[in-house]
Amino acid sequence: MASKPSIPKGTRDFSPAEVAKRQYIIQTIKANFEKFGFQPIETPSFENSETLMGKYGEEGDRLIFKILNSGDYLNELNDCLLQFVFGISKFYQDYYKNFDSYSEDDLIVNFQKNIKNYASGALKYLQNTNVTIDRFSKDLFPLIIVEVGDNEEQIEKFLNLEENELIFFSKAIIGRFYTELKPKYLTDWLTEKALRYDLTVPFARYVVQHQNEIEFPFKRYQIQPVWRADRPQKGRFREFFQCDADVVGSKSLWQEVELVQLYDTVFTSLGLNGVTVKINNRKILSGIAEVIGASDKLIDFTVALDKLDKIGEDGVKKEMIEKGISEEAIVKVQPLFHFTGSISEKIEKLSLLLATSEEGMKGVEELGFICDNVTQLGLSTAILDLDVTLARGLNYYTGAIFEVAAPKGVAMGSIGGGGRYDDLTSIFGKPDTSGVGISFGLDRIYLVIEELGLFPETVTASSKALFVNYGDAEAFYALQAIQKLRAAGIKVELYPDKAKVGKQFQYADKRNIPFAVIVGGEEMNSSTYSLKNLVSGEQMALDFEGLKKALE
Amino acid sequence: MASKPSIPKGTRDFSPAEVAKRQYIIQTIKANFEKFGFQPIETPSFENSETLMGKYGEEGDRLIFKILNSGDYLNELNDCLLQFVFGISKFYQDYYKNFDSYSEDDLIVNFQKNIKNYASGALKYLQNTNVTIDRFSKDLFPLIIVEVGDNEEQIEKFLNLEENELIFFSKAIIGRFYTELKPKYLTDWLTEKALRYDLTVPFARYVVQHQNEIEFPFKRYQIQPVWRADRPQKGRFREFFQCDADVVGSKSLWQEVELVQLYDTVFTSLGLNGVTVKINNRKILSGIAEVIGASDKLIDFTVALDKLDKIGEDGVKKEMIEKGISEEAIVKVQPLFHFTGSISEKIEKLSLLLATSEEGMKGVEELGFICDNVTQLGLSTAILDLDVTLARGLNYYTGAIFEVAAPKGVAMGSIGGGGRYDDLTSIFGKPDTSGVGISFGLDRIYLVIEELGLFPETVTASSKALFVNYGDAEAFYALQAIQKLRAAGIKVELYPDKAKVGKQFQYADKRNIPFAVIVGGEEMNSSTYSLKNLVSGEQMALDFEGLKKALE
């Protein structure tokens, strides 16, 4: 390989400094997750395809990375296909030739039995596959029928094919198989595993699979990478970490209260003071939909309302009308256009607006409980705000909806989000399990902390001192000290080669190592170490205890 | 999905207790890597296929998980194939029909130009692909030629194909393409990314790609999962973590000395006292090969010699002779059959045995330097041993070879290994970059620590106390205390629901939470908290400061 090596689009290498900063964020999140009683789990990077497919909508399915079945699978598959198609084609010739000797019932039974037999014979070529006998009749058999054709001339031609011509014929069928089968069916033949797309579906799968080992309510956190075949663009990657904390198995709204506190605690720990935790409730949105009399227009409504700051009341109303929301409806929700004041004032306004909607009032009650308790318990640095335009994951969330905005002045999308979902695990056969969770957007949080210069300097601190290498005897003397310093938990290193001292200093400098320890003949004779501050240039001779103290 | 969900064979879910234990090992390794001056990097989970393919031998290539090109790729590919094959087939008819009107030179030029044109036209169907125009003429064109045939009758038949017959013909070619193309070429058409198989090749790629940003010698560590499509079996997984520390850019043998110390330090930190760090040198093995006069028999030789304990001297010699090693050669290496004593005695024996081999003597010298210095500097709990049968990664290592055996009495394969390699990065275009590294076998280390009962109890400690939930007023009172305890770094949690107290205690018990805090009306009135030790059953009333002290 002559060309300069590279990595796939949308993926990243992380340098030591970047890993250190990312780990600082992850460790902070992790420590606080645990302080709040969440426990870590980890799931495999790839799941069985059927676990993931169909859970994220059609667009989501397209964005799932599928893993090609491994080993000699492609060879095996082609042997399998040829075996089946050739066998069935021969049988089909025979069937036509002896058409008159069968009763109609016989024919059908015989036919189905043969397809099954040939499929199960062919399947023996495929080790470890999810392909079913059913797939053969669904995906391959129709291709054969069409290829044979249905007028007399075509059939006559087919019946006269000799063995070698039948092989050519079979290969053409396989050509059709690859070229005409819908990619989603073809994918079933080629792959049975896929990289996880998020942490939520694997978590649901985990909960159902291990339900007998789990104590509910189950407070779990999970910090692992996910993969999406999205078109890469600035700030959007094909591999990125998700950091999720969820509780399943309890409907208690105290969870929502604690999750707001968790956001506050994590962001305060990271020095990111003044984030806004926006809260809404799915039931409020349903209530609004009832009031405007158009549940199908709810997204259009919230999207338009969200632009209030940008395009003003008239602009918003114009957009709503364009989207087909009636003037009458807009009048009804007039209070939302001047939706200001304290949270309790906002809740008051909502309870007037939604008085006629049972579900809406349930939302008001939930929101009231959460906001009251959060407010009375107090937040350290975060600001709680009620935002009725917040509608993320509308079809997914059933109660509270959260989103976190970076501190004012930082241009960045949401740096966290979450909410309550009432039936996550039913897709895997465990109904009635309510859950609520939040997640942290690692990459964006990183960018915000970087922009605000809030990474502590110690995060990227490398070794405390570099021992200069003057030769083997000196290196041995140095390593005796290094050994003891490391045992005391101090990060120090020896320059491995006897190189020019300038080069060694330069190495320390580039690596941001603040001290050099010089050990030559003089130091060895006097059992001392010359410690040089590489920033100030200061240098002093120390005994081992003095050295240790200086580097601690 | 009705059936119970599952995960792919060879992969694992990790429960909270397992994650905690794994993290304990990883954090210990990480902390010591950093203490020794190694810096973390991370690389993407998948690499471009060409980065990985061909780096692990033919068997390795088979075990690499390939990722299917995403989106509508299969559709696009089939459009692309049909476009090319149909176009070329039509051109081919025309070419035959007008054969006489061309000069021979014209014909060839015209031919090649057309293949290129049709290939580049067809390629437009494939967005984001690594498939080259060259692949079309290599993989597809020969199939067309063969299918047309070369006797007059066949050609005549081909020339008379009408448009719709030519489509059928093209599909048969595509059938051949899928069924006859060697899987490794077909893989090129279907995938262009693959999951990383180890951390070494991505590291080499990283070093070459970022060489201008790196300060050499570069001491990096990397702890990330790798994936192998190995047949899953006990203790062998398809996804597992590797923990590697390497230095590239220095030939200094002090690195080897420090790496032995690093093994000693990590295993001592983990409480795994008495591991054996076995050391050998590739050059010693080359020397032995020279002495026995059969470098092609070296592996057979070391494999047989390794069985000395099991089958005795006669058994080993019998096996060597069976493998074609001469009696004369066996006499020459007689000292290896009684290869006992201290390391320096062993080195002495080797220097006599290998006196005639220049490379062997270089190995003796290197081994002497490393072992002398390690011995003089002293190890905490690990035992250094020279093992001339150690030959792991023979074709890869060029100097020192390391392997770590679990403490005596534990039946377990090696729990670590490594060595020096002289030219890792040349595959990516950066020659002459020596490296040396070691790795830790996380899964096996886990099993050994588990077997010896050495995981500290604190590793899996969950919350320190569960606050019992008696209702909303009590929960609010509890959360005021919880908030302050968490701020002091104490892990506590509130049972989210007002459930039967017995159920709440049971939850604490199953979660291994040692204390319950009871707050009812009485406690609220007296501003106290009843702390119940769930093991002893003891209970006492405390004020907040007392509670905090008790839980610290």
Side-chain angles (χ1 to χ4, degrees):
Chain A
M1 195 159 94
S3 62
K4 199 187 168 194
S6 63
I7 51 176
K9 269 176 309 180
T11 67
R12 293 165 288 175
D13 279 330
F14 294 109
S15 70
E18 288 164 334
V19 173
K21 288 175 183 173
R22 286 166 62 86
Q23 282 301 321
Y24 161 73
I25 300 173
I26 288 173
Q27 290 304 328
T28 304
I29 293 173
K30 214 170 109 89
N32 285 298
F33 280 171
E34 293 185 0
K35 223 154 64 182
F36 276 70
F38 289 89
Q39 300 182 291
I41 68 161
E42 287 178 10
T43 62
S45 297
F46 47 74
E47 296 272 349
N48 290 322
S49 298
E50 73 246 36
T51 300
L52 304 183
M53 298 300 282
K55 308 299 191 298
Y56 307 101
E58 207 168 304
E59 178 63 7
D61 278 359
R62 267 172 40 81
L63 299 184
I64 291 173
F65 279 114
K66 286 105 189 164
I67 295 171
L68 195 65
N69 286 350
S70 52
D72 276 331
Y73 183 82
L74 288 173
N75 254 344
E76 294 169 5
L77 175 61
N78 289 323
D79 288 347
C80 158
L81 294 173
L82 203 56
Q83 169 85 359
F84 177 79
V85 174
F86 182 71
I88 283 290
S89 301
K90 266 181 84 165
F91 161 73
Y92 208 46
Q93 282 186 334
D94 184 65
Y95 160 84
Y96 262 107
K97 284 175 189 160
N98 300 294
F99 196 79
D100 297 332
S101 65
Y102 294 110
S103 76
E104 199 176 327
D105 280 357
D106 268 1
L107 274 173
I108 292 170
V109 170
N110 195 266
F111 214 107
Q112 286 171 340
K113 210 180 74 189
N114 269 282
I115 289 186
K116 240 187 185 158
N117 282 348
Y118 281 110
S120 101
L123 262 181
K124 292 201 180 102
Y125 285 88
L126 287 184
Q127 298 179 15
N128 315 317
T129 182
N130 292 331
V131 170
T132 57
I133 289 180
D134 191 44
R135 277 247 87 87
F136 284 84
S137 41
K138 263 203 195 121
D139 290 349
L140 282 164
F141 187 64
L143 296 177
I144 302 176
I145 303 285
V146 170
E147 199 63 62
V148 170
D150 55 6
N151 70 46
E152 258 178 60
E153 195 192 342
Q154 288 175 314
I155 292 173
E156 192 59 32
K157 198 173 149 196
F158 169 70
L159 294 179
N160 289 325
L161 291 177
E162 285 167 26
E163 183 115 348
N164 66 331
E165 290 172 316
L166 212 54
I167 291 177
F168 179 76
F169 176 85
S170 301
K171 286 187 178 161
I173 304 278
I174 294 169
R176 292 189 81 126
F177 169 81
Y178 281 104
T179 50
E180 292 175 18
L181 203 61
K182 279 193 186 154
K184 84 171 164 188
Y185 298 120
L186 187 52
T187 304
D188 282 350
W189 287 86
L190 295 176
T191 84
E192 54 199 26
K193 289 182 285 294
L195 290 174
R196 77 175 153 245
Y197 179 86
D198 70 0
L199 301 178
T200 308
V201 168
F203 172 51
R205 193 265 310 144
Y206 181 97
V207 168
V208 177
Q209 190 175 332
H210 300 282
Q211 52 186 302
N212 297 327
E213 305 140 40
I214 291 173
E215 257 336 277
F216 291 98
F218 184 42
K219 298 177 80 166
R220 90 85 172 80
Y221 76 85
Q222 196 169 351
I223 301 178
Q224 291 193 281
V226 302
W227 296 268
R228 295 184 183 180
D230 252 325
R231 211 164 282 277
Q233 56 185 57
K234 194 167 179 294
R236 191 201 281 166
F237 303 101
R238 294 188 144 189
E239 172 174 40
F240 58 97
F241 267 69
Q242 287 193 334
C243 313
D244 286 12
D246 292 79
V247 196
V248 291
S250 162
K251 292 189 174 175
S252 163
L253 295 175
W254 288 109
Q255 310 284 8
E256 277 84 341
V257 173
E258 287 200 80
L259 289 172
V260 175
Q261 292 183 325
L262 180 53
Y263 268 138
D264 176 48
T265 308
V266 167
F267 287 117
T268 302
S269 302
L270 289 170
L272 266 187
N273 298 344
V275 302
T276 301
V277 179
K278 296 189 239 173
I279 185 169
N280 194 12
N281 194 298
R282 175 65 171 94
K283 299 184 180 93
I284 299 276
L285 292 171
S286 301
I288 293 174
E290 263 184 61
V291 169
I292 63 174
S295 36
D296 58 320
K297 299 280 181 346
L298 185 55
I299 294 282
D300 290 333
F301 181 85
T302 56
V303 166
L305 190 59
D306 189 35
K307 295 181 187 162
L308 198 55
D309 283 351
K310 284 183 211 137
I311 59 175
E313 188 174 335
D314 289 345
V316 171
K317 286 182 176 170
K318 195 171 153 237
E319 181 170 325
M320 286 179 176
I321 286 164
E322 278 167 15
K323 294 284 181 184
I325 295 162
S326 70
E327 299 223 23
E328 200 191 344
I330 294 173
V331 170
K332 276 193 191 152
V333 294
Q334 182 64 29
L336 295 179
F337 291 95
H338 306 278
F339 200 64
T340 52
S342 70
I343 292 181
S344 51
E345 284 162 0
K346 284 184 179 178
I347 290 176
E348 188 57 35
K349 283 184 189 174
L350 282 178
S351 80
L352 290 172
L353 180 69
L354 302 175
T356 57
S357 160
E358 194 183 329
E359 196 173 1
M361 288 311 285
K362 183 92 183 65
V364 169
E365 193 190 312
E366 290 183 11
L367 214 45
F369 181 90
I370 299 162
C371 293
D372 279 359
N373 280 297
V374 168
T375 309
Q376 283 181 54
L377 287 162
L379 295 174
S380 299
T381 66
I383 301 147
L384 183 68
D385 189 28
L386 200 171
D387 181 352
V388 286
T389 66
L390 191 60
R392 47 182 294 141
L394 190 61
N395 296 318
Y396 180 70
Y397 294 125
T398 53
I401 304 172
F402 300 112
E403 193 167 279
V404 183
K408 287 188 180 66
V410 182
M412 179 65 68
S414 69
I415 57 175
R420 180 173 285 276
Y421 39 87
D422 270 343
D423 214 9
L424 182 69
T425 56
S426 65
I427 41 172
F428 297 113
K430 183 176 163 55
D432 303 324
T433 309
S434 185
V436 59
I438 57 173
S439 80
F440 289 80
L442 175 63
D443 288 309
R444 286 184 174 176
I445 293 170
Y446 184 105
L447 292 173
V448 173
I449 296 181
E450 191 79 301
E451 185 177 332
L452 298 176
L454 293 174
F455 280 115
E457 264 188 47
T458 50
V459 161
T460 51
S462 61
S463 295
K464 204 70 193 277
L466 178 76
F467 279 71
V468 177
N469 189 335
Y470 282 96
D472 285 346
E474 292 85 350
F476 181 82
Y477 178 80
L479 268 178
Q480 288 177 303
I482 286 172
Q483 208 171 5
K484 284 187 274 179
L485 291 169
R486 284 177 181 160
I490 301 166
K491 298 183 195 172
V492 285
E493 56 186 289
L494 170 71
Y495 193 85
D497 298 285
K498 183 189 163 187
K500 282 191 184 138
V501 177
K503 191 180 170 193
Q504 299 191 42
F505 281 164
Q506 191 190 327
Y507 173 82
D509 185 48
K510 289 254 172 83
R511 289 271 317 278
N512 289 316
I513 298 175
F515 292 100
V517 182
I518 296 161
V519 276
E522 199 178 312
E523 284 83 2
M524 287 170 69
N525 287 331
S526 59
S527 293
T528 57
Y529 306 85
S530 293
L531 182 69
K532 186 183 175 78
N533 182 319
L534 292 171
V535 182
S536 67
E538 240 180 307
Q539 185 170 329
M540 51 183 158
L542 298 164
D543 63 5
F544 178 76
E545 282 310 314
L547 178 69
K548 189 176 151 194
K549 214 159 183 183
L551 294 177
E552 254 164 5
Chain B
M1 196 159 94
S3 63
K4 198 187 168 195
S6 63
I7 51 175
K9 268 176 311 181
T11 67
R12 293 166 288 175
D13 279 330
F14 294 109
S15 69
E18 288 164 333
V19 174
K21 288 175 181 173
R22 286 166 61 87
Q23 281 301 320
Y24 162 72
I25 300 173
I26 289 172
Q27 290 304 328
T28 304
I29 294 173
K30 216 170 107 91
N32 284 299
F33 280 172
E34 292 184 1
K35 222 154 65 182
F36 276 70
F38 290 88
Q39 299 182 291
I41 68 161
E42 288 178 11
T43 62
S45 296
F46 48 74
E47 296 271 349
N48 291 322
S49 298
E50 73 246 37
T51 299
L52 305 183
M53 298 300 282
K55 307 301 190 299
Y56 307 101
E58 208 167 302
E59 177 63 8
D61 278 359
R62 268 172 38 82
L63 299 184
I64 291 173
F65 279 113
K66 287 105 190 162
I67 295 170
L68 196 65
N69 286 351
S70 51
D72 276 331
Y73 183 80
L74 287 174
N75 253 346
E76 294 169 6
L77 175 60
N78 289 324
D79 288 347
C80 157
L81 293 173
L82 203 57
Q83 168 84 358
F84 177 78
V85 175
F86 182 73
I88 284 289
S89 301
K90 267 182 83 166
F91 161 73
Y92 208 45
Q93 281 186 334
D94 183 64
Y95 160 83
Y96 262 107
K97 286 177 188 159
N98 300 294
F99 196 79
D100 297 332
S101 65
Y102 295 111
S103 76
E104 198 175 325
D105 281 354
D106 268 1
L107 273 173
I108 292 172
V109 170
N110 195 265
F111 214 108
Q112 286 171 339
K113 210 181 75 190
N114 270 282
I115 289 186
K116 241 187 184 156
N117 283 348
Y118 281 110
S120 100
L123 261 181
K124 292 200 180 104
Y125 285 88
L126 288 184
Q127 298 178 16
N128 314 318
T129 182
N130 291 332
V131 171
T132 56
I133 290 180
D134 192 43
R135 278 247 88 85
F136 284 84
S137 41
K138 264 203 193 121
D139 290 349
L140 281 164
F141 186 65
L143 297 176
I144 303 175
I145 303 286
V146 171
E147 201 61 63
V148 170
D150 54 6
N151 69 47
E152 258 178 60
E153 195 191 341
Q154 288 174 314
I155 292 173
E156 192 59 33
K157 198 173 148 196
F158 169 70
L159 294 180
N160 289 324
L161 292 177
E162 285 167 24
E163 183 114 348
N164 66 332
E165 292 172 312
L166 213 54
I167 290 177
F168 178 78
F169 176 86
S170 300
K171 286 189 177 160
I173 305 276
I174 293 168
R176 292 189 82 128
F177 168 81
Y178 280 105
T179 52
E180 292 174 18
L181 202 61
K182 280 194 187 154
K184 83 171 167 190
Y185 298 120
L186 186 51
T187 304
D188 282 350
W189 286 87
L190 295 176
T191 84
E192 54 199 25
K193 289 181 286 291
L195 289 173
R196 78 176 152 243
Y197 179 86
D198 71 358
L199 300 179
T200 308
V201 169
F203 172 51
R205 193 265 309 144
Y206 180 97
V207 168
V208 177
Q209 190 176 330
H210 302 280
Q211 53 187 300
N212 297 328
E213 306 140 41
I214 291 172
E215 256 336 275
F216 292 97
F218 183 41
K219 298 177 80 167
R220 89 84 172 80
Y221 76 86
Q222 196 169 352
I223 301 178
Q224 291 192 281
V226 302
W227 296 267
R228 294 184 184 180
D230 251 325
R231 213 163 281 277
Q233 57 186 55
K234 194 167 180 297
R236 192 200 280 165
F237 303 101
R238 293 187 145 189
E239 173 174 40
F240 58 97
F241 267 69
Q242 288 193 334
C243 313
D244 287 13
D246 292 79
V247 196
V248 291
S250 161
K251 293 189 174 175
S252 163
L253 296 175
W254 288 109
Q255 310 283 8
E256 277 84 341
V257 173
E258 287 200 78
L259 289 173
V260 175
Q261 292 182 324
L262 179 53
Y263 268 139
D264 176 48
T265 308
V266 167
F267 287 117
T268 302
S269 303
L270 288 171
L272 267 186
N273 298 342
V275 303
T276 301
V277 180
K278 296 189 241 173
I279 185 169
N280 195 14
N281 193 297
R282 174 66 169 97
K283 299 185 180 92
I284 299 275
L285 292 170
S286 301
I288 293 173
E290 262 184 63
V291 169
I292 64 173
S295 36
D296 58 322
K297 298 280 183 341
L298 184 56
I299 294 281
D300 291 332
F301 180 85
T302 56
V303 166
L305 190 59
D306 189 36
K307 296 180 185 163
L308 198 54
D309 284 349
K310 283 183 211 137
I311 60 175
E313 187 173 337
D314 290 346
V316 170
K317 285 181 177 171
K318 196 172 150 236
E319 180 171 326
M320 286 180 174
I321 286 164
E322 278 167 15
K323 295 285 182 185
I325 295 162
S326 71
E327 299 222 24
E328 200 191 344
I330 294 173
V331 170
K332 275 192 193 155
V333 295
Q334 183 63 30
L336 294 180
F337 290 95
H338 307 278
F339 199 63
T340 52
S342 69
I343 293 181
S344 51
E345 284 163 357
K346 284 184 177 177
I347 290 176
E348 187 58 35
K349 284 182 189 176
L350 282 178
S351 82
L352 291 171
L353 179 70
L354 302 176
T356 59
S357 160
E358 194 183 329
E359 195 173 1
M361 289 310 285
K362 183 91 182 65
V364 169
E365 192 191 314
E366 289 184 11
L367 215 44
F369 181 90
I370 298 164
C371 294
D372 280 359
N373 280 299
V374 168
T375 308
Q376 284 181 52
L377 288 163
L379 295 175
S380 299
T381 66
I383 301 147
L384 183 68
D385 189 27
L386 199 170
D387 180 353
V388 286
T389 66
L390 189 63
R392 46 181 295 140
L394 190 62
N395 296 318
Y396 180 71
Y397 293 125
T398 53
I401 304 173
F402 300 113
E403 193 168 279
V404 183
K408 285 187 182 68
V410 182
M412 180 65 69
S414 68
I415 56 175
R420 180 172 286 277
Y421 39 87
D422 271 344
D423 215 8
L424 181 69
T425 54
S426 64
I427 41 172
F428 297 113
K430 180 175 163 57
D432 303 324
T433 308
S434 186
V436 59
I438 58 173
S439 80
F440 289 81
L442 176 63
D443 288 309
R444 287 183 173 178
I445 293 170
Y446 184 106
L447 292 173
V448 173
I449 296 181
E450 189 80 300
E451 185 176 332
L452 298 176
L454 293 174
F455 279 115
E457 265 187 48
T458 49
V459 161
T460 51
S462 59
S463 295
K464 204 69 191 282
L466 178 77
F467 279 70
V468 177
N469 188 334
Y470 284 95
D472 283 348
E474 292 86 351
F476 182 81
Y477 179 80
L479 269 177
Q480 288 177 304
I482 287 171
Q483 207 172 6
K484 284 186 275 178
L485 291 169
R486 285 177 180 159
I490 302 167
K491 298 182 195 172
V492 284
E493 55 186 290
L494 170 71
Y495 193 85
D497 298 286
K498 183 189 165 187
K500 284 195 182 133
V501 176
K503 192 181 170 192
Q504 299 191 42
F505 281 163
Q506 192 190 328
Y507 173 82
D509 186 48
K510 290 256 172 81
R511 290 270 319 275
N512 288 316
I513 298 175
F515 292 99
V517 182
I518 296 162
V519 277
E522 201 177 310
E523 284 84 0
M524 287 169 69
N525 287 332
S526 59
S527 293
T528 58
Y529 306 86
S530 292
L531 182 68
K532 187 182 173 76
N533 182 319
L534 292 171
V535 181
S536 67
E538 242 180 306
Q539 186 171 327
M540 50 186 162
L542 298 164
D543 64 4
F544 178 76
E545 283 307 314
L547 178 71
K548 187 176 153 196
K549 215 160 183 183
L551 295 177
E552 252 164 8

